[in-house]
Amino acid sequence: MATFVEVHPDNPQPRSVGKVVERLREGALVAFPTDSGYALGGRLDDQQIKDRIRDIRRLDDRHHYTLLCADFAQLGQLVHIDNSVFRAIKAATPGPYTFILPATKEVPRRLLHAKKKTVGVRIPDNPLTRALLEGLGDPMLTSTLLFPGEERTPTFGWDVKEALDHQVDIVIDAGEVSTEPTTVVDLSGDGAEIARYGAGDATPFE
């Protein structure tokens, strides 16, 4: 059964965050709220995390996994960004956007899109998510918690625990959260392409 952790949405308790970070370092798969609904996440270098996320969401090799970053220093190590793209991303982050970009050699090949060699990256604007990233000290491998056939994420942690009690290790609850996933912007080509409309205003990229 998954461990259920309740935290304050605006001021997550350091002790609770610390315990989750410790489990993350040990290889736990965590379901947690972000600024754009619930996500699944774990250590970037753990093969089993990707496999478990893939199985829960029934994903194929064309799916873009997201590397959740604390800041631009981390993001810049994982993807190639030219000046014009940097300005566009900088203006929209932190926030509910995922950007698809060419990956650097720092990203394990198994995490890349099978054909494009790209990966999703984002910097969240959520106290709990940022606290987890700061505690871990590394980016996290994540994916929006969308069940097959659904377009919105769960609202409460209890909903997640009921659905995934034997498939994840920890469920974090921070009260009611947005059910709208990130807006996904593909910046890997000549221009910007909206791959998914979501919580972030897509107008600047259209």
Side-chain angles (χ1 to χ4, degrees):
M1 294 177 61
T3 301
F4 191 75
V5 179
E6 296 179 272
V7 300
H8 192 280
D10 300 318
N11 298 290
Q13 299 88 330
R15 184 176 179 183
S16 298
V17 172
K19 289 182 178 180
V20 174
V21 168
E22 185 176 337
R23 293 284 302 279
L24 280 167
R25 290 196 178 112
E26 293 170 351
L29 176 62
V30 181
F32 59 99
T34 75
D35 51 344
S36 56
Y38 266 86
L40 299 167
R43 273 176 39 187
L44 178 62
D45 59 352
D46 191 327
Q47 170 69 44
Q48 291 187 352
I49 295 298
K50 178 192 172 182
D51 294 344
R52 294 173 70 184
I53 292 174
R54 179 199 62 207
D55 292 345
I56 290 171
R57 291 205 51 201
R58 302 177 193 172
L59 302 171
D60 58 28
D61 290 341
R62 294 171 294 176
H63 178 72
H64 275 105
Y65 292 87
T66 298
L67 308 182
L68 205 63
C69 303
D71 52 35
F72 273 95
Q74 287 186 349
L75 189 146
Q77 293 176 352
L78 302 172
V79 290
H80 295 288
I81 311 176
D82 64 28
N83 289 336
S84 60
V85 168
F86 176 84
R87 287 193 295 270
I89 295 175
K90 184 74 171 176
T93 54
Y97 296 89
T98 298
F99 298 100
I100 307 300
L101 289 161
T104 68
K105 293 181 180 180
E106 296 296 318
V107 181
R109 290 179 62 85
R110 59 184 169 78
L111 302 183
L112 305 182
H113 186 282
K115 293 184 178 179
K116 298 181 179 180
K117 307 308 178 188
T118 50
V119 71
V121 289
R122 88 180 193 92
I123 300 173
D125 185 18
N126 174 271
L128 169 64
T129 313
R130 296 183 70 84
L132 291 174
L133 288 168
E134 289 168 10
L136 191 61
D138 291 304
M140 289 176 61
L141 173 63
T142 66
S143 183
T144 303
L145 178 47
L146 288 171
F147 293 111
E150 298 289 334
E151 295 183 356
R152 291 184 175 270
T153 68
T155 304
F156 296 100
W158 281 112
D159 298 329
V160 179
K161 182 167 169 53
E162 183 177 353
L164 299 177
D165 203 17
H166 298 285
Q167 294 175 272
V168 300
D169 301 305
I170 301 173
V171 175
I172 303 179
D173 182 90
E176 185 175 359
V177 299
S178 166
T179 62
E180 202 167 12
T182 57
T183 293
V184 180
V185 184
D186 191 336
L187 296 170
S188 63
D190 294 333
E193 179 181 343
I194 309 300
R196 180 177 72 195
Y197 288 88
D201 181 10
T203 305
F205 301 98
E206 293 179 325

